[in-house]
Amino acid sequence: QAGGDATLETATNTVGTLAASTGGKLSYVDADALRVGTVTTTSGPASLLGSTVGVSAAGATTLQTLDGTTGSLTLADSVTTSGSGAVTTLTAGKDIVQEAGSRVSSDALRLQAGGDATLETATNTVGTLAAEVATGDLRFVNAQALAIGSVTTSTAAAAGTTDGARTASAGRHISLQSLAGDISINQQLRTTADAGGTDTATLSAAGGITQSSSAGAALSASQLRVLTAAGGASLANTGNVVGAVAADVTGGSFALASNRALTVGSVTTATPLLAGTSTGIMTRGQGISVSTSGAGSDVRLDADVLTTAGGASAGADINVAAGGALAQAAGNLRGGTDGTVRLGAAAGGVSQTGNGVVTASRLLVEAAADSALLNAGNAVATLAARSGGAFSYRNAGNLEIGS
């Protein structure tokens, strides 16, 4: 307990359980595993008797464990850093683990873990998160709106800045959930994004999801799953690197850009947090835009892209623009009775290679090479097309050639 700052940063400290309450900053380093819990003083002056629960400080809290094999940091009780601009830094040589009943409360939170970082308590209240995980997964739940940004630690222990949220090892996963409010990606969100890899990024927001257009805010993941409950998801940064996507969006539109080949298909969240599978891209009467750019940036539709979920039969526009070729495999394109489906292929053709069909009020196709949409279930009222090669189309009903 300290009325001002408490600084214990010697690398040879070995404490099992820490509880602290300070009127200023707190910085503590431990050589081994550390548990934030409850500590009771039972002897000594009467003024010192009693229990301290968890850790509370003003302005800045830094907790660091050093050993990469045994140095896990466990939050059995809460860590609270008060004050405007408050920064909490949790750095572990191994895992960072949060137990039920604890919470982290801070304007900004910086995580560094040699293993996993799992903070999944529904009462966490953090404004900005930055995290880097060396060999494990990142899982974080927030009770309020969450921004992925830059967080700087000013204490001597763990001094430095982390930009965004990232995992460093192949096949690892990021799962982020806001239980109220939006998720805003203002700095990078990155897994290893190996071609055909198993790494996943899952974003689930009670509100919507937004992304800055700056180069430093790009999203990279082999597989991306997006869930919103009351807002759109706009992930249109042209620096994004995404291999496969699935999204279920309520309350707004969906947009994704990627500078590599992209498949719309099924994505399964590999972490216990948000475990499950989403298939295709769906909105409820709001538009969908998917685009790729760069060499070999084909688009393949293995699952449905639809704006008619939830009974929104009128639908909305669907735009799929491939930097390479566009192949409609098993995925249907359903724009509803009022929507326009626009299909583009900047360096290839637009083709139906599987059983997927197009249903919409209008279909616009623009391709650089031979294109063929010949499935019998296609049903649009108006067609317009421009192709750098041959073009063929089959429709189930009456068809008007328009614009």
Side-chain angles (χ1 to χ4, degrees), residues 85-276:
V87 174
T88 297
T89 302
L90 305 178
T91 300
K94 196 169 185 291
D95 301 330
I96 301 173
V97 180
Q98 184 176 39
E99 295 184 355
S102 69
R103 65 178 263 181
V104 176
S105 179
S106 184
D107 275 2
L109 173 63
R110 181 177 178 224
L111 302 175
Q112 295 176 296
D116 295 321
T118 55
L119 294 89
E120 301 175 341
T121 302
T123 53
N124 291 329
T125 53
V126 171
T128 298
L129 172 69
E132 48 191 337
V133 177
T135 63
D137 299 334
L138 170 63
R139 311 197 309 253
F140 185 77
V141 176
N142 208 40
Q144 62 183 34
L146 178 68
I148 305 303
S150 295
V151 179
T152 297
T153 301
S154 60
T155 57
T161 299
T162 297
D163 297 321
R166 60 186 184 269
T167 57
S169 296
R172 308 313 302 183
H173 314 286
I174 296 175
S175 294
L176 304 176
Q177 182 178 27
S178 72
L179 300 176
D182 299 341
I183 294 177
S184 302
I185 302 173
N186 299 326
Q187 289 288 337
Q188 63 177 334
L189 194 153
R190 177 164 58 87
T191 64
T192 53
D194 301 321
T198 59
D199 57 278
T200 60
T202 302
L203 305 176
S204 176
I209 299 172
T210 62
Q211 181 183 29
S212 167
S213 61
S214 69
L219 185 158
S220 298
S222 295
Q223 302 180 60
L224 173 65
R225 182 175 177 225
V226 177
L227 306 168
T228 72
S234 179
L235 300 167
N237 188 307
T238 56
N240 292 339
V241 178
V242 177
V245 63
D248 188 344
V249 175
T250 299
S253 59
F254 176 81
L256 174 68
S258 177
N259 64 13
R260 70 182 286 179
L262 177 69
T263 297
V264 177
S266 292
V267 176
T268 298
T269 300
T271 61
L273 174 64
L274 300 171

Side-chain angles (χ1 to χ4, degrees), residues 248-250 282-285 306-313:
D248 188 344
V249 175
T250 299
M282 66 178 71
T283 68
R284 291 145 179 84
L306 56 96
T307 57
T308 55
S313 58

